[in-house]
Amino acid sequence: MFASIGRRLAGLLATLLAASFVIFAAVYAAPGDPAVFLAGGRDKLTPERLAAVREQYHLDEPLVVQYGRWLWDCLHLDLGRSFQYGDQVSDLLSSRFPTTLALVGYATVLFVVLGVGAGVLAAVRRGSWVDSAVVGTTTLTASVPSFVGGIALVAFFGVRLGWFPVTGSGEGFAGTLHHLTLPALAMALGAVAVIARVTRQAMVEAGAADHVEVARAAGLPEHQIIRRHVLRNALGPVVTMCGLVTAGMLAGTVAIETVFGLSGIGSLLVGAVNSHDFPVAQAVLLLMVAGYILVTTLVDLVHPLLDPRLKAMRSSA
Amino acid sequence: SGATTGASTSGTEAADLTLIPTTARATGSVAAVNWLLEDEPDSLDLDTQGGSAGRTVLGNVCERLYQLQPDMSVRPSLVRQAARPDATHLVLTLRDDVTFHDGSRMTADDVLFSLKRHAEPEMEQSDEFGNVSAMRKTGDHEITITFKQPDALFTKALAGDAGLVYNREQVEKAGEDFGTPGQSDACSGPYELSGWKSGDSITLTRADDYWGEQPLTGKVVFRWADDSAMVNALATGAADGTYADNIGTAAALRGKKGLDEHFGPSTSTLALIPTERGGLADPDIRKALSLALDRSGIAKSGYGGLVEPWATPVGSGAWGYAKDAFAAAQKQLTDAPAKPDAQDLAKAKELVKNAKKAPAEPIVIGTDSSQGRMVIANAVRAALTQIGLKGQIKTVPAAQYGEFYGDKEARADIDVLVADWYISKSDPFGFYDNGLSDSANNWVGFKSPEYDAKVAEGLRTLDDAKRAELAIDVQRRFADAAVWIPVAQMPTALVLDDKLTGPPASMAYLYYPWAAQLGAKKG
Amino acid sequence: MLLDIQNLTLGLPGAARPLLAEVSLRVGAGETVGLVGESGSGKSTTAKTVLRLLPEAASVTGRVLVDGTDVLALDGAGLRAHRAGTVAMVHQDPRSALNPVRRVGDFLVERLTSTGTTDRRTARAKAVELLGAVGLSEPERRFGQRPHELSGGMLQRVVIAGALAAEPRLLLADESTSALDVTTQAEILALLRSLREQRDLGMLFITHDLHLAAAFCDRVYVMYAGRVVEQQEADRLFTHARHPYTRGLLACSPELEDIDRALEPIPGRPPSLSDTFTGCPFATRCPHAEPECGTWIPEPVPLPGGGTAACRRLADLPEGPVEQPVLAKRSPA
Amino acid sequence: MTAAITVDARLPVRRRPVLVIAGAAFLALVVLAAAFAPLLAPYAPDAVDLSASLVGTGGDHPLGTDASGQDLLSRVLYGARTSLIAPLALLAIAALLGVTLGTVAAWRGGWVDTLVSRVTDVMYAFPGLLFVVLIIAVFGAGITTSVLGLGLAFAPTIAKYTRSVALTERAKPYVDAYRVQGMGGVRICVRHLVPNLARSIVGYLVVLFGEALMSLATLSYLGFGSQPPSSDWGLMVQEGQAAIVQGALLPALVPGTAIAAVVVAFNVVGVWAADRLGARR
Amino acid sequence: MSAIETRPEAPLLVADGLTKTYRLPGGERLTAADRVSFTVPRGGSLGVVGESGSGKSTVARMLVGLVRPDAGTVAVDGRDRATRPPSFGRAAHRLARAREIQMVFQDPYISLDPRLTARHCLRTSLRLHGRDAGDGRIAALLDQVGLGAREAGARPHELSGGQCQRLAIARALAVDPRVLVLDEAVAALDVSIQAQILRLLDEIRRDTEVALVFVSHDLAVVRHITEETVVMRRGTVVEQGPTSRVLGAPEDPYTRLLLASVPRRGWDPADAERARAEADAA
Ligand SMILES: Nc1ncnc2c1ncn2[C@@H]1O[C@H](COP(=O)(O)OP(=O)(O)OP(=O)(O)O)[C@@H](O)[C@H]1O
Ligand SMILES: Nc1ncnc2c1ncn2[C@@H]1O[C@H](COP(=O)(O)OP(=O)(O)OP(=O)(O)O)[C@@H](O)[C@H]1O
Ligand SMILES: [Mg+2]
Ligand SMILES: [Mg+2]
């Protein structure tokens, strides 16, 4: 068990290293002098500035050494200085991350509750109008890109009805909740669809298993069968999917924060890419990728707890 | 749902707007106001990153040697008195009662340090010091500046960012971090910077031991939002006011309950700037384009009728003196009609037909994709089609758009830039030096020795009336050559909760402690 | 009679013929009754009707009496009680009959408590006792194990223990040894046999192996295309099979002892649900078929030694054991 | 072990194909509209009419106009071209790469598999659009970069899927039979294995199409993809967004609805097709 | 290799010391076949019996080369199948090996390419080996296994299990193999169909002199169709010899257990229990 966790963590580290290397080395793929590229645009490119970039990135040393230093600095939360803001990148990130985290957390709560609920309902009432309604609605919401959904929500609930504020991330718990409701909903809509479908599918599959019929043949009450045999067995894929979707949402904030004008790391990334602020872009990418890997690993570790067959395979693996 | 989803663009014509420099005086105090900016300032060190967001904030925090007044005139501020012993010397006598926010007293050393910092080549304001040959401390409270030749605009520059006075000790201590979140300001002024939560807000609080008059408003919290969010925030009362950088914001909020809108003079214009690429190298083609451009259409479609078709590249806010003369002269320019009539079009086509270097390739119009600029770009394309030429639009993300102004390479594949331009000085000459043969902003390569001479003379001429005469002459030459193609002048738009009043409505807000005037209508 | 199925016919909308046609079958207390037939002949369907586990949209006629109650008339709580009480079923694949994510013990405890008569503490003790009763070593430890940790034979014992939990009087064993190795199959059969003796269980034993049925059961029903074609005492079936299908099956099943006998395949293939019949379904494969067989609706004809066979040519058919090749003609599928 | 094979005679559950037919018809219409945009569109996509800025539905402009007075219907029709072709191109790139990698990994197994799996794992560590954003950060925005980048980003998904179905397929004895017959690995893969997976992979791709379209639209919306004056739908939404506050919803709503409608139709048809083609989900 | 003369009395197929160890996840090892040796004469028939997991399939797969043995050799006509004659290219070697041994798998549906019709399936095999792939040849092959014109145009899912298995046999025969390995080839079929296939195999043996290796867990079937039998248990051969002796008068307790477990007239499962006790004791 511990060995398997250890192995997962080692895998996490390896993937993280590889991904960070890709992020770091990307600048070498850019046409031209990496220093010029890193200096962010050609506006007011003084020799001093180039020199500063060379120093910050240790551009005179071999690639691997540079990477090592960069990584070392990153580990010490020294992510360099933003070219656009002139501020420490780590400060920029730390002031924006809470918004993003709150947004993702809120969206996660929304899609888990709504998605799993709808999925279970559809599966239990399979073939009925409830099922059709759930399947129909989710097909629809899954097909609306989050930014379009976001804009529609803004237009309707923000502008027309004025129920929700459409800017800023609010203060205090209630304020944050109020401010983030629309963006979280916009992000969650697609996810609700995914989760509802996965839940429904997993429940239907779990319900088709022989042991469910066996339980029914033994005269167990239906609600017990659904709870202990169908839902319980469907949890694996559902939890995995929830984890994956949550992890992916970190990146999904790129669009949503832009739509709602939220200052999180997503909009920071878009701004940084547009203004060639590469140190910031690198740092945000690294943060998002790390978050993603972390969550997916966590899900991976949780999965065997839900399905002991996997545990057996893993711990012997 | 039917035909109602299109916007009802109320037919506000710019001509209806009367530009009033300031709002009624406030009498009541206010604990705090929420103010909106179009964007988070990149930095609060205006020497390294200038921008209107930063200026809007710092106008209240950092005082300058001179001060731009709401009516766009300039008056001494941290300078008690100025003297010009001869045409090439300026002696500034400083106030001795000024304290910085950390309590220390402003000294001549601080002033000299600040001026020298502004003058460093990589700093934003360095070009203002191009004429300066020496800056010296000549007394405990005295600085003497020596010019290579007489400079009529220098004191006006000192009302802008070139006149900011920093507390030397604090700036040096902060080093590279100066101007970033978490640092304090190093200034004197009615407000002090009490917090900058990166990505969230900037807070100013009333400076208790301010050497001047105490403001009515205790705290100003700045947040930022893009256009639509800004409109919503103001409409719902989440914010108390803004200087709408994008005039469309003001257009969208017109007539909203609970809000007042004030429009004041600005130097700002919308213009087309032909570039080095050469599609518009021929002045006749430029003039033809100018003649064919539907300026009032642009004003209506792109800016809700809040901008005014304009024939010069400087807004009326630049008329810090001799206003009437300038106004009359502006009316005489006919090459930039508000709405081209048949005659204009015929003339334009004629010009194209006879042009020496009619472009074979489509003319590339550079812009970002913001609504107003896209409308201009589209209008330019339409105008070009009308006069028998081809246009093509190239857009870049908003964040890259700024590069067009400063970076020749970024402009390399566009022929004309859809530009917003303002000058900080309330003097047309502050603009016309852009037409000098050696100016970095003379992209199209306009060369005219007479023009150069007249500008040089104007810049040397300290007498306002004489300078105005020269300016009008230069203005005509610039228009004749269509070095730039003016589109419209853009007023400053102040959107304010209708319980508040006080701040100026003119472009002075960028350099003037506007929040210090802000207060409730009734006390 | 413990189980009495009378003229059970089960149809599905869209199917060309009924899944079950006029099936009558009886199991007495303490009796082991075999049900054999090739795949798709309707064995499992018959067993499931006893628990009223019918395909959706199925139409049923006939009666299924368990201890005198008509199962087909039950629903709701009565049906649940019926399923949880008198009758229990053991399926073919023990691995898929147990919920893989729950412990073996949970499976049993769930069965024991579902009637609401036992609390969890006593249920636990009872479960361990049951595990011991089906011959599992270390029942305490097995209780906490999960299905994937046990072998197929052990799991089938657990499933049997689960079936016994409700103290049923009738056990439906649907191919419950087919998925196991021969040696394990023998163990399970020995277990079933001893349980039957101890508890006086009636058992419906379903298999497709005629030899196994004949060796293990008291009486055997042979099914073909949803019909019971023959029913006899097990001993007599080896020696005096009467229906041509039964005889065909015996002739084509290889035997260990009887090596000199050539295998005689039945021509053609077992019918699927899309094949329809106007008369005897076996007629097309039957060596003794006459044109009239194609229109004769099969009905059980009593046999002299007891039992029945549904063939209209019984009188003309050879009697006695199937030793000589009886099927002369050979044709490919 | 002796379980007899039962031919599953269970009747196929009848799906409601009405929706599927409607979806397919709609898609056909969209494709035709894109192909014949010049004939159908009442205006040129870039025809400016400053006097008709932000007009609503009805009259000369069936779907209204944007701020520059460009006809939204015409723009949406022309926009269908990039909006449909770009995702197709990206899927083609991704499929070529992904299917090759996935098949090789499944067939060769061992270190090849490990290598391919590790590489895809690293790509997988970039959630959603991030990999493309990185590429755009380096190479600059544009529809070509976006298509190539997304193609690369989608490839691992397809590789992973292909690998898993190929592993299952490879374990089927008919593949062993080919080997026993003396057929070479490449030939088995190219001539038999991949064709047998094709249905399932195509089914998977059909479902991915909606995602590809949405991802590209998102990139265009963020300003990373198609550049103006293209009438790509994502871009149109971005351009139209500013008009919302002026009370004009159409400029954002029309292209937004177009995206959603096409994706809905594709998902309805795609899920049905994927089921018919036996794609695993 | 060509130096070795094929002597008529030499066995056709020689498996010598075949050993295969699988590495299980978790580092354990499982010896699925441990020094398995046997021979099959020209036109002979060998049965391999044993419980599930005893290594029967592993041996079968080593024979055809689907599994590479850790140790031991398989030779046909005195030629070691693993070593490539210098004159052969890789592909030629592969094809030559294919002509030595062919295989029929357990599940008839999935051992056929679902995309190909019966005719197409045979044509692929014939073409691969550069044989005449004309319709006449194909029809003859189909006829040999009792399939007609209707079946020729059908895909596997349109055929019954028995028909599929016939096609699989035809596909193997298309290559003209010397040895045919059948891994549980009748286990998935109904008894009536199973008998048909067994009879077909009998006929093929008579007509073509192909040798059979018949892997099955069903002792009765093996008794019917084979002359020699190998009994496997946990990877090792516990007993081998003529079928009549091994299954008639078994020496090994494990073989006795297997036999005692087979239901037949007058059988009592308790007998098997006793035999197990003996086998476990041994
Ligand atoms: N729920 C169902 N819906 C439709 N057809 C069904 C259903 N259940 C069984 N059948 C069909 O009914 C026929 C009889 O099935 P049944 O399972 O009773 O056969 P069996 O004799 O038990 O066969 P086997 O030996 O394969 O288990 C088969 O053709 C089967 O496909
Ligand atoms: N590729 C493999 N990797 C690991 N273990 C394997 C592999 N193939 C077979 N085994 C194991 O080797 C042992 C022998 O397997 P094999 O398939 O040869 O048995 P078998 O006698 O054919 O059994 P059955 O009657 O179930 O087909 C089994 O325990 C099996 O789990
Ligand atoms: Mg069955
Ligand atoms: Mg096997």
Side-chain angles (χ1 to χ4, degrees), chain B residues 2-3 5 7 228 301 369 378 381 395, chain D residues 46 50 53-54 57 68 228 245 247-248:
Chain B
T5 27
S228 47
S301 300
S369 51
N378 279 319
R381 203 162 42 79
T395 49
Chain D
D46 54 357
L50 292 183
S53 165
L54 295 179
T57 54
S68 301
V245 292

Side-chain angles (χ1 to χ4, degrees), chain D residues 227-242:
Chain D
Q227 299 295 313
S230 150
S231 49
D232 181 284
W233 293 342
L235 187 64
M236 282 179 70
V237 174
Q238 188 231 70
E239 290 171 357
Q241 197 183 352

Side-chain angles (χ1 to χ4, degrees), chain A residues 313 315-317, chain E residues 24-27:
Chain A
M313 271 161 59
S315 54
S316 63
Chain E
L24 298 181

